[in-house]
Amino acid sequence: DVDVTPAGTVEPLAITARGSAGVSKLAFLDRDRPLLTLERVEVTGIDAQWPTRLAIDRVRVTEPWARIERDGQGSLSLRSLFLRRPDRPAAPATGPGPIPGLQVSVPEAVFDNGGTSIVDTSVEPAARFEVRGTNLVVRNLTWPTTGPAAVDLNTPMPSGGTLKARGTLTIE
């Protein structure tokens, strides 16, 4: 779902967009096995002035789920999401990196009813547990960092109880 009003110029290249966007049933796979799924992602209050600024009032992610698996060699399954597939060409020598001058701000990001399936096959017998019902709120996230973002986490624990954490996060 997209409700965005774009405008732009060619010389110099500048694109402006305002509005909101959403996507449902998003999945990141390792071959045919889901590693990360999101029931719904909604982004509201988009105010983009490319290539210098991206401001988003609110990001809401509903039912995020991740499979975190550690194999016998200690490799994590989610790492495969960031590796180049062998059937794809290598990236240019300069490689991707931050966009110079781009400033990003997200006053609020909410992750509702998250879950994780954790499997550690590096131990005998393999350790397995599920976490369901995790809620996370991140406030005042910026890039480059203008100050710490506030983080609130509330998650049930696999064998009972609840973990609650509140603090700050700084992305260097």
Side-chain angles (χ1 to χ4, degrees):
D1 309 327
V2 178
D3 182 7
V4 174
T5 303
T9 61
V10 176
E11 278 298 321
L13 178 62
I15 300 170
T16 302
R18 290 185 173 75
S20 60
V23 64
S24 295
K25 310 267 187 225
L26 185 62
F28 297 91
L29 309 174
D30 179 15
R31 293 176 181 53
D32 61 346
R33 186 176 68 158
L35 292 179
L36 181 65
T37 64
L38 309 163
E39 181 63 27
R40 177 98 178 133
V41 178
E42 296 174 349
V43 181
T44 56
I46 298 169
D47 183 3
Q49 295 174 6
W50 192 263
T52 59
R53 187 178 94 138
L54 173 60
I56 297 171
D57 285 343
R58 187 169 199 243
V59 175
R60 182 180 180 142
V61 179
T62 306
E63 294 183 34
W65 173 85
R67 178 179 178 87
I68 301 172
E69 187 170 332
R70 185 167 75 160
D71 65 18
Q73 292 75 40
S75 295
L76 294 175
S77 58
L78 287 178
R79 186 169 184 261
S80 68
L81 291 176
F82 303 99
L83 297 175
R84 182 182 60 84
R85 290 180 18 187
D87 61 333
R88 303 289 176 150
T94 57
I99 299 167
L102 178 64
Q103 296 180 345
V104 178
S105 66
V106 181
E108 184 176 61
V110 177
F111 300 82
D112 285 329
N113 197 25
T116 308
S117 295
I118 300 171
V119 180
D120 187 352
T121 59
S122 70
V123 296
E124 275 294 322
R128 300 173 188 276
F129 59 93
E130 301 284 325
V131 175
R132 299 280 188 247
T134 300
N135 296 300
L136 172 68
V137 178
V138 180
R139 289 187 177 83
N140 302 320
L141 186 61
T142 59
W143 178 258
T145 300
T146 59
V151 177
D152 286 304
L153 173 70
N154 185 337
T155 187
M157 298 306 291
S159 56
T162 301
L163 171 68
K164 293 182 180 184
R166 178 173 286 155
T168 59
L169 166 73
T170 302
I171 300 173
E172 296 295 330

